[in-house]
Amino acid sequence: MPKPFQPSVVTANHLLDGDVIYQTAADEWSRNLSDAEVLTDEADAQIRLLHAQSQPAVTVGAYLAEVALSVEGPEPTHFREEFRKTGPSNYAHGKQVGAAPGPLEASEETI
Amino acid sequence: MYTYSDFDAEFVRNRNAQFRAQVNRRIDGSLTEDEFKPLRLMNGLYLQLHAYMLRVAIPYGTLSSRQMRQLAMIAEKWDKGYGHFTTRQNIQFNWPKLQDVPDILDALAEVEMHAIQTSGNTIRNVTADHFAGAASDEIADPRPVAELLRQWSTDHPEFQFLPRKFKIAVSGSENDRAVLRAHDLAVQIVEKDGQQGYRIFVGGGLGRTPMIGKVLRDFLSPEDLLPYVEATVSVWNLLGRRDNKYKSRIKITVHENGIDTVRDKVEARFAEIKPAFTGVDQEMLEGIKAQFALPAFRNASIEALEAYRAANPAFRAWTDTNLTDHQNDNYAIVSISLKSHGKTPGDASADQMRVMADLAERFGHDELRISHEQNVILPHVHKADLPEVYNTLRDAGLATANIGLISDIIACPGMDYCALATARSIPIAQQIATRFDELKLEHEIGALKIKISGCINACGHHHVGHIGILGLDRAGVENYQITLGGDATQVAALGQRTGPGFSADEIIPAIERIVYAYLDLRTDADETFLQAFNRVGMSPFKAALYPAQSKAA
């Protein structure tokens, strides 16, 4: 029997800098998992994924990543997604410093 | 060192201009990602876990100070101030932005460097013994041959859509420091009846199906090299499987068809194409050889060195581990460790790159090498200069005296960066190095090579580590399998799996148990870990690793 659909978010890499991004309910892209829209219905999730994949000027390699729900919002269920959310463990680079997480600037989305 | 011809310079310039236009078309939406991906990969640009990664070739691991300084500049201007040297003598920048990459490639072209064929199903960067042109045991410098192969393979029209990637290594010594037998094809310069020629290996490789390379031709005359290599790649290009990427490398072709069948086909193809090679390649090789002439070694007294060693224990320890015999008795080959305890193996900051470039310029006949073991080499240092070289390295955090020891670990980027990885490698390397430094056991343990890969593709060469560690994803948890007894040298061997893997928390204690077992069972301090393993086999190490199971048994 196939595994029941798990709560998921739409995630991708940003075209210009490759950073990990998440689709929000407001149809924006955020660098922060906590802003992500959590999808609990499989059909709905597929539509949202198609929507993400139709934005090649912003996204590369969009896919659905499973999350667990916590009071702080969605949390990764797999360590790979934890590293994507956090950044590398050997330096405080990527999401750990630099650009404050949050919605992408409109200019970033559209170039 | 080889200097670009006008042809080389124009080729790289044109390719960069093409790629700049391709990047622009991707950003303005004219190209989809599916269309763009093969184009970026042809130019060494990957999309990794958190960012793009640009892999820049360092052909046969050789750099000038000017090139090293340019890498430092690129690291600072377009990346996060460091670069990562890899197990195939490349440098990777982990954080470039897509729109900056054409400028980075132009900056590389200014110093005769590029990222062409560092990815994709092509003939990749040709690697060589990192002590080439300096080692005391060398028959001939392998780099002219490597450069000839680089020129021949770059944009070779027949070999742009191979079944899979194809890696070539070249060595000029019987002692294999270039892991020849783990390459798709390898060239070893040999002598027979007073004549120099080549021994050709084929079908080596690591990855999910590790294989030790086999001898395809024991002795090949110099003038036959290019047609013979071309015949080999050509035979595989047709015979190699394209239905399954896990079975497409030449090692599988050799395994499935047998070395004799492959040899017969190569010889037939060779006979067919040999007449087309009229000797121009040999003229080119002579021209290339002239560019790799030995530097003008200087004469100076080395008498003060022993006194300096005696008076400075830290310097002495460094000279004990980080120097290798040079073909000139007054010179030494200096290995600069990029494995400072607790740091990321193979990483160098821009400042460190400049320090190494300055040292090469002042004391090293302007040459640097990158080793597949992720260290940097100053191949020609006069022994009288060693104290100043050491002191300068020490002030830059580059004088770790651990070459060939337990903390001189090869580690792939693993899941901290790599999109293919199934577990992290870097933190495991950092923790092993830190732990054995705390225990102050490193020098007591002696020669021991640990190699760590974060997935089955084996970029960290774990199969040929004396202790190999393979990071896997076991039901959503990082799990590390251990192999013992691997050997990357001329007596190459694949490590044997010990048994069930260990979690990230358990792996460091597990390595400790292996090392203590070795210290207990070795005949004396001269018996290395690998010698001890080859003498006693797996059992004592298994017993140490899995005490509960062995008691129950």
Side-chain angles (χ1 to χ4, degrees):
Chain A
M1 205 175 82
K3 189 176 144 192
F5 184 76
Q6 301 296 310
S8 298
V9 298
V10 176
T11 181
N13 289 87
H14 191 259
L15 171 67
L16 292 186
D17 58 15
D19 196 8
V20 174
I21 52 176
Y22 302 95
Q23 195 171 45
T24 71
D27 243 353
E28 291 175 332
W29 287 93
S30 170
R31 296 176 191 274
N32 193 340
L33 175 60
S34 62
D35 297 333
E37 175 187 19
V38 178
L39 303 158
T40 51
D41 177 78
E42 186 168 9
D44 187 32
Q46 291 300 336
I47 289 168
R48 296 294 289 153
L49 176 60
L50 282 173
H51 181 62
Q53 288 167 337
S54 71
Q55 301 170 55
V58 185
T59 70
V60 182
Y63 64 95
L64 292 168
E66 282 185 17
V67 290
L69 299 174
S70 77
V71 283
E72 278 101 45
E75 294 289 340
T77 58
H78 190 278
F79 60 92
R80 187 175 195 272
E81 291 303 321
E82 183 65 43
F83 296 135
R84 289 183 78 242
K85 175 197 158 194
T86 314
S89 55
N90 61 332
Y91 299 116
H93 284 164
K95 292 190 182 300
Q96 296 156 77
V97 287
L104 296 184
E105 298 297 321
S107 60
E108 281 189 282
E109 282 187 48
T110 55
I111 320 311
Chain B
M1 276 180 61
Y2 180 74
T3 306
Y4 272 13
S5 65
D6 291 345
F7 176 87
D8 294 321
E10 194 184 340
F11 172 75
V12 173
R13 202 165 41 238
N14 287 342
R15 176 63 88 84
N16 287 354
Q18 278 174 9
F19 188 58
R20 183 179 291 279
Q22 289 158 356
V23 168
N24 287 340
R25 291 204 295 281
R26 173 67 182 100
I27 291 175
D28 75 16
S30 316
L31 289 177
T32 65
E33 185 60 20
D34 285 348
E35 290 164 333
F36 180 63
K37 188 177 176 182
L39 301 173
R40 67 170 160 79
L41 290 178
M42 281 170 73
N43 293 285
L45 187 64
Y46 287 74
L47 181 55
Q48 295 284 50
L49 217 51
H50 317 288
Y52 287 96
M53 179 273 280
L54 183 66
R55 180 182 292 156
V56 177
I58 301 172
Y60 33 89
T62 294
L63 284 175
S64 66
S65 61
R66 179 167 167 255
Q67 290 172 321
M68 186 67 116
R69 285 197 190 98
Q70 191 80 337
L71 295 176
M73 185 281 284
I74 289 168
E76 272 179 346
K77 185 169 179 183
W78 290 295
D79 207 89
K80 294 192 186 293
Y82 76 100
H84 176 75
F85 292 104
T86 78
T87 54
R88 288 213 80 255
Q89 298 181 318
N90 297 303
I91 183 170
Q92 293 181 175
F93 293 107
N94 284 328
W95 301 94
K97 292 187 166 45
L98 178 59
Q99 65 270 43
D100 291 337
V101 172
D103 291 340
I104 298 174
L105 294 176
D106 283 349
L108 289 167
E110 284 172 18
V111 294
E112 306 187 349
M113 295 183 76
H114 62 70
I116 297 165
Q117 290 181 208
T118 59
S119 176
N121 294 336
T122 56
I123 298 175
R124 301 289 188 88
N125 185 34
V126 178
T127 57
D129 182 347
H130 42 268
F131 294 160
S136 60
D137 59 4
E138 185 173 271
I139 293 171
D141 187 339
R143 292 175 301 161
V145 168
E147 172 59 27
L148 184 71
L149 289 167
R150 185 193 72 81
Q151 295 189 15
W152 160 82
S153 62
T154 301
D155 213 29
H156 192 301
E158 189 179 338
F159 303 139
Q160 293 304 299
F161 295 94
L162 293 168
R164 196 83 175 82
K165 57 186 150 186
F166 197 85
K167 298 177 181 176
I168 300 177
V170 190
S171 166
S173 162
E174 188 56 43
N175 295 308
D176 183 2
R177 290 174 289 262
V179 211
L180 296 184
R181 289 154 186 83
H183 280 80
D184 294 289
L185 186 143
V187 179
Q188 181 190 353
I189 301 173
V190 291
E191 270 177 340
K192 189 176 162 188
D193 305 328
Q195 295 293 311
Q196 272 185 26
Y198 308 112
R199 179 177 295 142
I200 308 294
F201 295 94
V202 74
L206 301 176
R208 72 179 56 220
T209 318
M211 303 263 188
I212 300 293
K214 298 176 173 69
V215 175
L216 185 63
R217 180 72 104 79
D218 198 50
F219 188 86
L220 190 67
S221 293
E223 67 274 14
D224 291 340
L225 180 70
L226 274 197
Y228 198 80
V229 174
E230 182 159 309
T232 308
V233 184
S234 182
V235 163
W236 168 65
N237 198 15
L238 290 178
L239 195 60
R241 288 178 57 173
R242 290 171 191 263
D243 61 318
N244 180 341
K245 78 173 196 174
Y246 302 123
K247 297 187 185 296
S248 54
R249 296 284 290 270
I250 197 170
K251 60 187 173 185
I252 305 292
T253 312
V254 171
H255 184 69
E256 288 186 345
N257 293 274
I259 183 75
D260 294 331
T261 303
V262 170
R263 185 182 295 118
D264 290 348
K265 287 180 184 289
V266 168
E267 295 289 344
R269 177 70 181 156
F270 169 70
E272 207 176 336
I273 65 174
K274 167 70 182 167
F277 287 76
T278 54
V280 178
D281 56 311
Q282 291 304 297
E283 286 167 29
M284 288 175 73
L285 181 60
E286 286 311 308
I288 294 167
K289 275 184 184 165
Q291 300 198 47
F292 286 96
L294 281 175
F297 293 126
R298 69 188 179 89
N299 280 314
S301 169
I302 54 171
E303 277 172 23
L305 183 66
E306 277 315 309
Y308 194 85
R309 281 186 82 228
N312 297 276
F315 174 71
R316 189 170 64 236
W318 178 80
T319 59
D320 284 344
T321 50
N322 292 37
L323 301 185
T324 306
D325 287 345
H326 193 281
Q327 52 187 253
N328 181 318
D329 288 343
N330 289 329
Y331 274 72
I333 301 171
V334 172
S335 290
I336 301 171
S337 169
L338 297 184
K339 315 290 179 64
S340 176
H341 300 108
K343 296 284 171 53
T344 304
D347 279 10
S349 69
D351 286 341
Q352 288 177 325
M353 290 184 211
R354 277 189 287 264
V355 166
M356 294 187 281
D358 289 350
L359 286 174
E361 194 170 50
R362 287 169 61 205
F363 302 113
H365 297 276
D366 207 34
E367 273 202 45
L368 298 132
R369 304 285 171 73
I370 308 305
S371 75
H372 79 270
E373 292 175 316
Q374 300 178 289
N375 293 311
V376 178
I377 318 292
L378 296 171
H380 310 295
V381 178
H382 195 281
K383 287 178 179 171
D385 297 327
L386 287 172
E388 192 164 352
V389 168
Y390 169 78
N391 289 330
T392 308
L393 289 172
R394 186 196 54 205
D395 294 345
L398 288 167
T400 311
N402 65 346
I403 296 295
L405 302 182
I406 194 169
S407 61
D408 184 10
I409 297 169
I410 288 184
C412 73
M415 203 183 271
D416 285 304
Y417 296 91
C418 180
L420 300 174
T422 45
R424 289 172 298 172
S425 311
I426 292 168
I428 305 303
Q430 290 173 314
Q431 288 168 40
I432 292 171
T434 305
R435 179 61 182 152
F436 284 94
D437 191 40
E438 283 165 4
L439 293 171
K440 296 294 165 218
L441 272 178
E442 179 153 54
H443 292 270
E444 162 99 25
I445 297 162
L448 175 52
K449 290 181 190 291
I450 296 185
K451 302 179 197 282
I452 310 176
S453 304
C455 83
I456 201 162
N457 294 313
C459 294
H461 294 191
H462 65 277
H463 296 112
V464 290
H466 302 167
I467 299 177
I469 301 176
L470 166 62
L472 295 169
D473 174 352
R474 281 279 177 264
V477 180
E478 288 169 295
N479 186 274
Y480 295 90
Q481 282 181 359
I482 299 175
T483 47
L484 299 178
D487 188 340
T489 70
Q490 59 282 1
V491 286
L494 301 171
Q496 303 165 36
R497 256 186 72 190
T498 58
F502 298 87
S503 70
D505 291 338
E506 296 166 340
I507 184 69
I508 311 301
I511 299 299
E512 250 183 90
R513 292 202 292 282
I514 292 170
V515 170
Y516 279 118
Y518 154 65
L519 291 174
D520 283 347
L521 63 77
R522 69 182 178 186
T523 51
D524 56 47
D526 289 336
E527 189 182 45
T528 65
F529 176 87
L530 187 60
Q531 289 164 343
F533 177 84
N534 288 336
R535 176 172 58 83
V536 303
M538 183 65 93
S539 308
F541 295 102
K542 255 187 162 166
L545 261 182
Y546 308 102
Q549 288 95 316
S550 67
K551 262 182 220 151

